[in-house]
Amino acid sequence: MCEILETEQLYEQLLDVLLRSDDKYLLHQYTDLLSEKYPEQLLQIYREIVEKQAESTGGRKHYYQIVEELRIMKSIIGGDKVVDEIIKKWKIQYRNRSAMMDELNRA
């Protein structure tokens, strides 16, 4: 369905599908296409994803994946500011997670 929406250049409907989906693969697939037109909406989707991921503890690989999402966010217009806010908040909220702090410092 998303491919049809892309082909028909129905970008608003495509964004709506991404907003209702929990599929990170779809989000990653269409981020570049939609990032100029809908940066705020995409950043909100990514923010919800990383916030949810950060709630659970994990190993270094888990935190690396979160940082990868943050890097994608930085590539979206206005993403630098949003990512900086998130990292600042997390450095206080999750200060006892040393592996997470190491990975965030690399972001």
Side-chain angles (χ1 to χ4, degrees):
M1 181 171 150
C2 290
E3 292 173 0
I4 294 169
L5 294 172
E6 178 184 12
T7 302
E8 297 294 323
Q9 297 182 352
L10 299 170
Y11 301 131
E12 193 168 331
Q13 289 89 333
L14 179 57
L15 176 66
D16 191 48
V17 170
L18 296 177
L19 285 167
R20 289 184 278 126
S21 171
D22 288 337
D23 189 341
K24 283 192 331 183
Y25 173 76
L26 274 180
L27 179 61
H28 291 164
Q29 186 175 353
Y30 294 105
T31 293
D32 287 341
L33 177 68
L34 299 175
S35 64
E36 283 190 34
K37 247 182 154 49
Y38 306 104
E40 292 175 12
Q41 293 90 333
L42 286 174
L43 287 170
Q44 183 59 38
I45 296 170
Y46 275 105
R47 182 179 210 135
E48 290 171 11
I49 288 171
V50 296
E51 293 282 354
K52 192 171 191 175
Q53 287 177 317
E55 287 175 2
S56 61
T57 59
R60 198 165 288 274
K61 183 177 180 180
H62 173 72
Y63 299 128
Y64 177 80
Q65 290 171 342
I66 294 172
V67 168
E68 286 302 305
E69 301 292 337
L70 294 174
R71 285 189 178 121
I72 293 170
M73 289 175 71
K74 280 186 165 191
S75 71
I76 299 170
I77 298 166
D80 283 337
K81 182 180 178 189
V82 174
V83 169
D84 289 345
E85 290 171 7
I86 291 170
I87 290 174
K88 184 178 180 181
K89 176 182 140 189
W90 287 353
K91 285 189 174 188
I92 296 167
Q93 186 175 358
Y94 302 120
R95 65 185 172 274
N96 294 330
R97 297 184 189 177
S98 59
M100 183 182 196
M101 293 302 109
D102 288 346
E103 292 301 323
L104 288 176
N105 287 331
R106 295 178 189 170

